[in-house]
Amino acid sequence: MIQIPARVRRQMIEYAATELPNEACGLLAGRDGRVEMFFPIRNVHGDPQNRFELAPKEYLEAMEQIDGAGLQLTATFHSHTHTAAYPSPTDVDKSEGIQRFFPETRFVLVSLQDQEPDLRAFAIVGDHIAEQEVRIV
């Protein structure tokens, strides 16, 4: 299970909406499965409407802030603009690097394909995808 404060959920959805038509991305930090902070990070992928890549410098700065605050990387975040909040084959392939260094990290997806944004979280290990309970607190 991952606990996300309502204010962080709102921040992620607002950020994803402002980045349309591109996918948005970022990091979530906290302790023991409870998110405390959201770090929006610019998507620098060459095809940002269909893929995402965290801006390297912003990623490193966010990780320094996470470490400095005594927090842990809880999850990566990105949006799907026209598909469901479920990991694509590309998402699964890209998860390998994060999982190697941060095995407890979850993957939070926000879909903007419908009127009401859909937020879901997943654990990805290899090709195995397991949906995680999300509790908005």
Side-chain angles (χ1 to χ4, degrees), residues 43-76:
N43 180 355
V44 296
H45 195 280
D47 181 14
Q49 292 184 9
N50 297 299
R51 304 275 188 270
F52 77 95
E53 180 180 336
L54 301 168
K57 184 177 179 189
E58 293 175 29
Y59 168 80
L60 291 173
E61 289 170 354
M63 290 302 292
E64 286 176 4
Q65 289 179 44
I66 291 167
D67 288 341
L71 300 175
Q72 301 166 328
L73 178 63
T74 305
T76 63

mmCIF file of all heavy atoms in Angstrom, residues 43-76:
data_model
loop_
_atom_site.group_PDB
_atom_site.id
_atom_site.type_symbol
_atom_site.label_atom_id
_atom_site.label_comp_id
_atom_site.label_asym_id
_atom_site.label_seq_id
_atom_site.Cartn_x
_atom_site.Cartn_y
_atom_site.Cartn_z
ATOM 1 N N ASN A 43 9.975 16.741 -18.452
ATOM 2 C CA ASN A 43 10.074 15.609 -19.372
ATOM 3 C C ASN A 43 10.915 16.052 -20.568
ATOM 4 O O ASN A 43 10.524 16.939 -21.310
ATOM 5 C CB ASN A 43 8.664 15.194 -19.832
ATOM 6 C CG ASN A 43 8.688 14.020 -20.802
ATOM 7 O OD1 ASN A 43 9.740 13.548 -21.215
ATOM 8 N ND2 ASN A 43 7.506 13.566 -21.172
ATOM 9 N N VAL A 44 12.078 15.415 -20.733
ATOM 10 C CA VAL A 44 12.985 15.809 -21.817
ATOM 11 C C VAL A 44 13.052 14.767 -22.934
ATOM 12 O O VAL A 44 13.941 14.834 -23.786
ATOM 13 C CB VAL A 44 14.411 16.105 -21.272
ATOM 14 C CG1 VAL A 44 14.389 17.301 -20.332
ATOM 15 C CG2 VAL A 44 15.014 14.877 -20.592
ATOM 16 N N HIS A 45 12.112 13.837 -22.967
ATOM 17 C CA HIS A 45 12.115 12.825 -24.030
ATOM 18 C C HIS A 45 11.861 13.483 -25.382
ATOM 19 O O HIS A 45 11.133 14.474 -25.477
ATOM 20 C CB HIS A 45 11.055 11.758 -23.746
ATOM 21 C CG HIS A 45 11.248 10.529 -24.573
ATOM 22 N ND1 HIS A 45 10.839 10.450 -25.882
ATOM 23 C CD2 HIS A 45 11.822 9.343 -24.275
ATOM 24 C CE1 HIS A 45 11.144 9.256 -26.362
ATOM 25 N NE2 HIS A 45 11.753 8.564 -25.412
ATOM 26 N N GLY A 46 12.439 12.935 -26.425
ATOM 27 C CA GLY A 46 12.264 13.458 -27.773
ATOM 28 C C GLY A 46 10.836 13.332 -28.289
ATOM 29 O O GLY A 46 10.435 14.055 -29.210
ATOM 30 N N ASP A 47 10.053 12.420 -27.711
ATOM 31 C CA ASP A 47 8.646 12.222 -28.083
ATOM 32 C C ASP A 47 7.796 12.355 -26.814
ATOM 33 O O ASP A 47 7.233 11.384 -26.325
ATOM 34 C CB ASP A 47 8.471 10.839 -28.718
ATOM 35 C CG ASP A 47 7.054 10.556 -29.167
ATOM 36 O OD1 ASP A 47 6.229 11.499 -29.244
ATOM 37 O OD2 ASP A 47 6.745 9.372 -29.428
ATOM 38 N N PRO A 48 7.736 13.569 -26.234
ATOM 39 C CA PRO A 48 7.125 13.740 -24.913
ATOM 40 C C PRO A 48 5.624 13.497 -24.859
ATOM 41 O O PRO A 48 5.063 13.378 -23.774
ATOM 42 C CB PRO A 48 7.461 15.191 -24.557
ATOM 43 C CG PRO A 48 7.583 15.872 -25.876
ATOM 44 C CD PRO A 48 8.192 14.837 -26.790
ATOM 45 N N GLN A 49 4.966 13.420 -26.009
ATOM 46 C CA GLN A 49 3.532 13.145 -25.998
ATOM 47 C C GLN A 49 3.240 11.666 -25.759
ATOM 48 O O GLN A 49 2.116 11.307 -25.395
ATOM 49 C CB GLN A 49 2.880 13.614 -27.289
ATOM 50 C CG GLN A 49 2.887 15.122 -27.409
ATOM 51 C CD GLN A 49 2.160 15.616 -28.647
ATOM 52 O OE1 GLN A 49 1.500 14.863 -29.337
ATOM 53 N NE2 GLN A 49 2.281 16.902 -28.915
ATOM 54 N N ASN A 50 4.260 10.822 -25.950
ATOM 55 C CA ASN A 50 4.060 9.380 -25.814
ATOM 56 C C ASN A 50 5.041 8.696 -24.877
ATOM 57 O O ASN A 50 4.870 7.522 -24.562
ATOM 58 C CB ASN A 50 4.153 8.711 -27.194
ATOM 59 C CG ASN A 50 3.072 9.204 -28.111
ATOM 60 O OD1 ASN A 50 1.903 9.034 -27.842
ATOM 61 N ND2 ASN A 50 3.475 9.861 -29.193
ATOM 62 N N ARG A 51 6.075 9.402 -24.455
ATOM 63 C CA ARG A 51 7.105 8.825 -23.598
ATOM 64 C C ARG A 51 7.570 9.889 -22.605
ATOM 65 O O ARG A 51 7.324 11.073 -22.785
ATOM 66 C CB ARG A 51 8.319 8.379 -24.413
ATOM 67 C CG ARG A 51 8.036 7.403 -25.522
ATOM 68 C CD ARG A 51 8.018 5.980 -25.001
ATOM 69 N NE ARG A 51 7.923 5.007 -26.074
ATOM 70 C CZ ARG A 51 6.781 4.541 -26.563
ATOM 71 N NH1 ARG A 51 5.639 4.989 -26.103
ATOM 72 N NH2 ARG A 51 6.765 3.629 -27.508
ATOM 73 N N PHE A 52 8.315 9.435 -21.594
ATOM 74 C CA PHE A 52 8.870 10.417 -20.667
ATOM 75 C C PHE A 52 10.298 10.047 -20.320
ATOM 76 O O PHE A 52 10.703 8.888 -20.366
ATOM 77 C CB PHE A 52 8.021 10.529 -19.384
ATOM 78 C CG PHE A 52 8.231 9.399 -18.413
ATOM 79 C CD1 PHE A 52 9.128 9.532 -17.362
ATOM 80 C CD2 PHE A 52 7.544 8.207 -18.554
ATOM 81 C CE1 PHE A 52 9.328 8.502 -16.469
ATOM 82 C CE2 PHE A 52 7.739 7.171 -17.664
ATOM 83 C CZ PHE A 52 8.636 7.310 -16.620
ATOM 84 N N GLU A 53 11.049 11.067 -20.005
ATOM 85 C CA GLU A 53 12.418 10.925 -19.516
ATOM 86 C C GLU A 53 12.657 12.088 -18.563
ATOM 87 O O GLU A 53 12.471 13.249 -18.922
ATOM 88 C CB GLU A 53 13.400 10.978 -20.686
ATOM 89 C CG GLU A 53 14.843 10.850 -20.282
ATOM 90 C CD GLU A 53 15.769 10.916 -21.487
ATOM 91 O OE1 GLU A 53 15.353 10.613 -22.616
ATOM 92 O OE2 GLU A 53 16.939 11.305 -21.274
ATOM 93 N N LEU A 54 13.056 11.760 -17.351
ATOM 94 C CA LEU A 54 13.314 12.790 -16.344
ATOM 95 C C LEU A 54 14.542 13.612 -16.727
ATOM 96 O O LEU A 54 15.572 13.046 -17.090
ATOM 97 C CB LEU A 54 13.557 12.144 -14.983
ATOM 98 C CG LEU A 54 12.430 11.281 -14.408
ATOM 99 C CD1 LEU A 54 12.935 10.484 -13.216
ATOM 100 C CD2 LEU A 54 11.243 12.112 -14.024
ATOM 101 N N ALA A 55 14.427 14.926 -16.628
ATOM 102 C CA ALA A 55 15.579 15.798 -16.880
ATOM 103 C C ALA A 55 16.673 15.428 -15.878
ATOM 104 O O ALA A 55 16.448 15.491 -14.665
ATOM 105 C CB ALA A 55 15.185 17.263 -16.728
ATOM 106 N N PRO A 56 17.850 14.998 -16.349
ATOM 107 C CA PRO A 56 18.881 14.484 -15.446
ATOM 108 C C PRO A 56 19.278 15.426 -14.313
ATOM 109 O O PRO A 56 19.378 15.001 -13.165
ATOM 110 C CB PRO A 56 20.070 14.207 -16.374
ATOM 111 C CG PRO A 56 19.467 14.000 -17.713
ATOM 112 C CD PRO A 56 18.265 14.910 -17.754
ATOM 113 N N LYS A 57 19.499 16.699 -14.621
ATOM 114 C CA LYS A 57 19.926 17.639 -13.579
ATOM 115 C C LYS A 57 18.829 17.814 -12.526
ATOM 116 O O LYS A 57 19.107 17.829 -11.325
ATOM 117 C CB LYS A 57 20.297 18.986 -14.196
ATOM 118 C CG LYS A 57 20.827 19.974 -13.183
ATOM 119 C CD LYS A 57 21.260 21.276 -13.827
ATOM 120 C CE LYS A 57 21.755 22.213 -12.742
ATOM 121 N NZ LYS A 57 21.997 23.543 -13.214
ATOM 122 N N GLU A 58 17.579 17.934 -12.967
ATOM 123 C CA GLU A 58 16.461 18.091 -12.029
ATOM 124 C C GLU A 58 16.288 16.827 -11.186
ATOM 125 O O GLU A 58 15.953 16.911 -9.997
ATOM 126 C CB GLU A 58 15.169 18.414 -12.780
ATOM 127 C CG GLU A 58 15.202 19.774 -13.446
ATOM 128 C CD GLU A 58 13.975 20.046 -14.288
ATOM 129 O OE1 GLU A 58 12.886 19.510 -13.993
ATOM 130 O OE2 GLU A 58 14.107 20.802 -15.276
ATOM 131 N N TYR A 59 16.501 15.665 -11.803
ATOM 132 C CA TYR A 59 16.432 14.399 -11.067
ATOM 133 C C TYR A 59 17.477 14.387 -9.944
ATOM 134 O O TYR A 59 17.159 14.074 -8.792
ATOM 135 C CB TYR A 59 16.646 13.219 -12.019
ATOM 136 C CG TYR A 59 16.882 11.909 -11.308
ATOM 137 C CD1 TYR A 59 15.823 11.182 -10.796
ATOM 138 C CD2 TYR A 59 18.170 11.419 -11.134
ATOM 139 C CE1 TYR A 59 16.039 9.979 -10.124
ATOM 140 C CE2 TYR A 59 18.395 10.227 -10.467
ATOM 141 C CZ TYR A 59 17.325 9.505 -9.969
ATOM 142 O OH TYR A 59 17.556 8.333 -9.299
ATOM 143 N N LEU A 60 18.712 14.743 -10.287
ATOM 144 C CA LEU A 60 19.782 14.745 -9.278
ATOM 145 C C LEU A 60 19.501 15.754 -8.164
ATOM 146 O O LEU A 60 19.723 15.452 -6.983
ATOM 147 C CB LEU A 60 21.132 15.030 -9.932
ATOM 148 C CG LEU A 60 21.673 13.915 -10.831
ATOM 149 C CD1 LEU A 60 22.933 14.381 -11.553
ATOM 150 C CD2 LEU A 60 21.929 12.646 -10.051
ATOM 151 N N GLU A 61 18.995 16.923 -8.528
ATOM 152 C CA GLU A 61 18.657 17.926 -7.514
ATOM 153 C C GLU A 61 17.549 17.413 -6.592
ATOM 154 O O GLU A 61 17.607 17.610 -5.376
ATOM 155 C CB GLU A 61 18.231 19.240 -8.189
ATOM 156 C CG GLU A 61 19.378 19.968 -8.849
ATOM 157 C CD GLU A 61 18.936 21.130 -9.731
ATOM 158 O OE1 GLU A 61 17.707 21.329 -9.938
ATOM 159 O OE2 GLU A 61 19.820 21.844 -10.225
ATOM 160 N N ALA A 62 16.534 16.778 -7.158
ATOM 161 C CA ALA A 62 15.446 16.226 -6.341
ATOM 162 C C ALA A 62 15.977 15.145 -5.407
ATOM 163 O O ALA A 62 15.614 15.105 -4.220
ATOM 164 C CB ALA A 62 14.344 15.668 -7.236
ATOM 165 N N MET A 63 16.854 14.284 -5.907
ATOM 166 C CA MET A 63 17.407 13.217 -5.065
ATOM 167 C C MET A 63 18.236 13.803 -3.923
ATOM 168 O O MET A 63 18.198 13.285 -2.799
ATOM 169 C CB MET A 63 18.233 12.240 -5.901
ATOM 170 C CG MET A 63 17.390 11.380 -6.842
ATOM 171 S SD MET A 63 16.132 10.383 -6.009
ATOM 172 C CE MET A 63 17.150 9.220 -5.113
ATOM 173 N N GLU A 64 18.967 14.886 -4.180
ATOM 174 C CA GLU A 64 19.722 15.548 -3.112
ATOM 175 C C GLU A 64 18.773 16.124 -2.060
ATOM 176 O O GLU A 64 19.037 16.015 -0.862
ATOM 177 C CB GLU A 64 20.604 16.656 -3.699
ATOM 178 C CG GLU A 64 21.806 16.131 -4.444
ATOM 179 C CD GLU A 64 22.627 17.229 -5.111
ATOM 180 O OE1 GLU A 64 22.302 18.433 -4.938
ATOM 181 O OE2 GLU A 64 23.586 16.889 -5.816
ATOM 182 N N GLN A 65 17.673 16.718 -2.499
ATOM 183 C CA GLN A 65 16.695 17.256 -1.558
ATOM 184 C C GLN A 65 16.042 16.139 -0.741
ATOM 185 O O GLN A 65 15.805 16.303 0.459
ATOM 186 C CB GLN A 65 15.614 18.051 -2.295
ATOM 187 C CG GLN A 65 16.115 19.363 -2.862
ATOM 188 C CD GLN A 65 15.014 20.104 -3.592
ATOM 189 O OE1 GLN A 65 13.897 20.188 -3.124
ATOM 190 N NE2 GLN A 65 15.351 20.656 -4.753
ATOM 191 N N ILE A 66 15.761 15.036 -1.392
ATOM 192 C CA ILE A 66 15.164 13.882 -0.702
ATOM 193 C C ILE A 66 16.120 13.386 0.374
ATOM 194 O O ILE A 66 15.724 13.197 1.532
ATOM 195 C CB ILE A 66 14.801 12.772 -1.719
ATOM 196 C CG1 ILE A 66 13.626 13.226 -2.595
ATOM 197 C CG2 ILE A 66 14.478 11.462 -1.004
ATOM 198 C CD1 ILE A 66 13.376 12.354 -3.818
ATOM 199 N N ASP A 67 17.375 13.185 0.002
ATOM 200 C CA ASP A 67 18.380 12.737 0.976
ATOM 201 C C ASP A 67 18.553 13.756 2.097
ATOM 202 O O ASP A 67 18.617 13.396 3.269
ATOM 203 C CB ASP A 67 19.732 12.489 0.295
ATOM 204 C CG ASP A 67 19.744 11.238 -0.565
ATOM 205 O OD1 ASP A 67 18.872 10.370 -0.384
ATOM 206 O OD2 ASP A 67 20.638 11.138 -1.432
ATOM 207 N N GLY A 68 18.624 15.027 1.738
ATOM 208 C CA GLY A 68 18.823 16.090 2.725
ATOM 209 C C GLY A 68 17.683 16.200 3.723
ATOM 210 O O GLY A 68 17.881 16.607 4.864
ATOM 211 N N ALA A 69 16.480 15.819 3.295
ATOM 212 C CA ALA A 69 15.317 15.873 4.182
ATOM 213 C C ALA A 69 15.147 14.579 4.984
ATOM 214 O O ALA A 69 14.205 14.456 5.767
ATOM 215 C CB ALA A 69 14.055 16.140 3.366
ATOM 216 N N GLY A 70 16.067 13.631 4.777
ATOM 217 C CA GLY A 70 15.966 12.363 5.487
ATOM 218 C C GLY A 70 14.824 11.488 4.999
ATOM 219 O O GLY A 70 14.326 10.629 5.729
ATOM 220 N N LEU A 71 14.427 11.688 3.735
ATOM 221 C CA LEU A 71 13.336 10.912 3.150
ATOM 222 C C LEU A 71 13.892 9.840 2.229
ATOM 223 O O LEU A 71 15.097 9.774 1.992
ATOM 224 C CB LEU A 71 12.390 11.844 2.378
ATOM 225 C CG LEU A 71 11.729 12.957 3.193
ATOM 226 C CD1 LEU A 71 10.931 13.874 2.282
ATOM 227 C CD2 LEU A 71 10.847 12.368 4.285
ATOM 228 N N GLN A 72 12.994 9.021 1.712
ATOM 229 C CA GLN A 72 13.354 7.972 0.758
ATOM 230 C C GLN A 72 12.581 8.200 -0.532
ATOM 231 O O GLN A 72 11.479 8.763 -0.515
ATOM 232 C CB GLN A 72 12.974 6.598 1.313
ATOM 233 C CG GLN A 72 13.619 6.254 2.622
ATOM 234 C CD GLN A 72 12.930 5.054 3.270
ATOM 235 O OE1 GLN A 72 11.742 4.837 3.126
ATOM 236 N NE2 GLN A 72 13.711 4.285 3.999
ATOM 237 N N LEU A 73 13.135 7.739 -1.644
ATOM 238 C CA LEU A 73 12.394 7.729 -2.895
ATOM 239 C C LEU A 73 11.280 6.700 -2.738
ATOM 240 O O LEU A 73 11.546 5.515 -2.558
ATOM 241 C CB LEU A 73 13.303 7.380 -4.070
ATOM 242 C CG LEU A 73 12.629 7.286 -5.428
ATOM 243 C CD1 LEU A 73 12.035 8.638 -5.827
ATOM 244 C CD2 LEU A 73 13.623 6.806 -6.472
ATOM 245 N N THR A 74 10.044 7.158 -2.745
ATOM 246 C CA THR A 74 8.890 6.280 -2.537
ATOM 247 C C THR A 74 8.335 5.780 -3.862
ATOM 248 O O THR A 74 7.938 4.627 -3.975
ATOM 249 C CB THR A 74 7.787 7.031 -1.761
ATOM 250 O OG1 THR A 74 8.362 7.527 -0.551
ATOM 251 C CG2 THR A 74 6.627 6.140 -1.429
ATOM 252 N N ALA A 75 8.296 6.680 -4.857
ATOM 253 C CA ALA A 75 7.721 6.297 -6.152
ATOM 254 C C ALA A 75 8.188 7.247 -7.237
ATOM 255 O O ALA A 75 8.555 8.389 -6.971
ATOM 256 C CB ALA A 75 6.193 6.332 -6.079
ATOM 257 N N THR A 76 8.150 6.740 -8.466
ATOM 258 C CA THR A 76 8.271 7.609 -9.620
ATOM 259 C C THR A 76 6.850 7.899 -10.080
ATOM 260 O O THR A 76 5.922 7.128 -9.803
ATOM 261 C CB THR A 76 9.077 6.968 -10.763
ATOM 262 O OG1 THR A 76 8.387 5.812 -11.225
ATOM 263 C CG2 THR A 76 10.481 6.621 -10.316
#
